[in-house]
Amino acid sequence: MAKQVILITGASSGFGAMTARQLATGGHCVYAGVRNIQGSGAAAVAAAESFAKEWKVELHTVELDVLEQEQADAAVSRIMTEQGRIDVVIHNAGHMCFGPAEAFTSEQLAALYDVNVLSTQRLNRAALPHMRDKGQGLVVWVSSSSTRGGTPPFLGPYFAAKAAMDALAISYAGELTRWGIETTIVVPGAFTKGTNHFRDAGAPADQAVALAYKDGPYKGVEETALAGLAALEPADADPESVARAIETVVDTPRGKRPFRVHVDPSQDGAEVVNGVADRVRAELLRRIGLGDLLHIPETV
């Protein structure tokens, strides 16, 4: 596969950092989006620089707080100045929360939507004009099996935000094919080890309501849910498999990339439900005379 110029969000840790390194060692030019590179993100920047030097790869860091349109614009502008193109955008940035839904304020839910959903819109508005001008590109969305798989309690606000992002990705897919831009939605399962996803999960602001659940009829549900998710996860579950799956998508020849890829060692059922939903979507587009939107044209 020819070298691709790639921008990935939320690349200071977890799936993002793993994917950035995987793609860089695979021969691509990667820009890893890191928030607050002079402060909390400084360690991630240093780690990326050290990795790039040791492995002699093109792994760069770029200041990118996905909550700021100006930073999204600046990140894409820098890449265009330095590389002359942007081939792949990977929407990876996100944030989890854990606790009874009622205990989260509406402002907290809005913040979760900002990180998990609106962030993708900011970067799309910055990057897609360049892809449209070129007549090709790839947008990868890191979704979650929670959007359509089994949904344990106390993760509702996060599930809702990821479901909104997934729905937006599906709509974008049909609106980009005629421009020659492909879409792949990567669907990781619940990896409880090897990332900071659960450890750094946000807590509800209304602790009085949270305690009412914790000490009332839902006493023990939090612990049971987390223990149950961990027990479902096979001992050899490897979060690096998500990075490898994304690399495989990037390296797949143009026009042959899959619409959706599941990486779910626990098999929570999302692959089954998504399979039906994606088939229904394809059938509807064909029925209304827009079947061509399912694939990019050979030439644009």
Side-chain angles (χ1 to χ4, degrees):
M1 183 69 189
K3 179 177 76 173
Q4 304 287 292
V5 177
I6 301 168
L7 173 59
I8 179 169
T9 65
S12 61
S13 62
F15 293 145
M18 295 174 194
T19 302
R21 286 157 174 72
Q22 185 77 30
L23 290 167
T25 54
H28 300 292
C29 175
V30 180
Y31 284 79
V34 176
R35 183 168 56 91
N36 191 17
I37 61 175
Q38 299 298 326
S40 59
V45 172
E49 291 175 348
S50 177
F51 184 92
K53 183 177 180 180
E54 178 182 356
W55 290 89
K56 298 180 174 57
V57 295
E58 292 185 83
L59 175 57
H60 313 278
T61 54
V62 59
E63 178 99 39
L64 181 51
D65 184 341
V66 294
L67 303 183
E68 301 291 340
Q69 184 67 57
E70 293 79 6
Q71 290 198 17
D73 294 340
V76 171
S77 178
R78 175 185 158 188
I79 294 170
M80 292 301 299
T81 298
E82 295 178 0
Q83 306 298 332
R85 70 184 202 273
I86 181 166
D87 302 310
V88 182
V89 165
I90 302 175
H91 293 302
N92 169 76
H95 187 56
M96 177 182 277
C97 68
F98 189 81
E102 184 189 348
F104 289 89
T105 65
S106 55
E107 290 78 12
Q108 284 187 292
L109 264 66
L112 278 168
Y113 276 68
D114 203 358
V115 174
N116 290 288
V117 186
L118 300 185
S119 64
T120 66
Q121 181 70 354
R122 294 185 183 100
L123 187 52
N124 279 350
R125 285 180 54 79
L128 288 179
H130 302 290
M131 290 183 174
R132 289 192 288 106
D133 285 345
K134 189 179 178 184
Q136 66 182 60
L138 169 65
V139 183
V140 177
W141 306 69
V142 181
S143 183
S144 169
S145 66
S146 65
T147 63
R148 284 200 172 112
T151 51
F154 290 178
L155 285 158
Y158 172 71
F159 288 168
K162 294 302 285 189
M165 192 211 77
D166 195 287
L168 185 62
I170 293 170
S171 292
Y172 256 115
E175 296 177 10
L176 294 177
T177 49
R178 288 185 180 178
W179 294 103
I181 301 170
E182 294 176 279
T183 294
T184 295
I185 304 171
V186 176
V187 186
F191 287 86
T192 62
K193 300 177 288 291
T195 73
N196 298 332
H197 216 40
F198 280 88
R199 188 198 71 186
D200 294 340
D206 191 336
Q207 283 298 300
V209 171
L211 285 172
Y213 278 82
K214 188 178 182 67
D215 296 336
Y218 282 81
K219 184 176 183 179
V221 167
E222 289 190 10
E223 294 78 7
T224 300
L226 291 175
L229 287 171
L232 281 181
E233 190 175 342
D236 60 352
D238 180 9
E240 293 276 1
S241 61
V242 176
R244 292 193 292 271
I246 293 174
E247 181 187 28
T248 297
V249 169
V250 171
D251 288 346
T252 297
R254 182 173 181 271
K256 298 184 181 300
R257 289 164 171 145
F259 178 64
R260 196 183 292 270
V261 175
H262 293 82
V263 189
D264 182 14
S266 300
Q267 294 292 303
D268 71 3
E271 189 165 1
V272 176
V273 181
N274 277 325
V276 174
D278 292 341
R279 187 185 74 237
V280 169
R281 166 185 175 263
E283 290 175 352
L284 177 64
L285 287 175
R286 294 188 185 102
R287 287 171 60 197
I288 64 175
L290 292 173
D292 71 292
L293 301 186
L294 296 169
H295 305 284
I296 59 169
E298 292 185 7
T299 57
V300 178

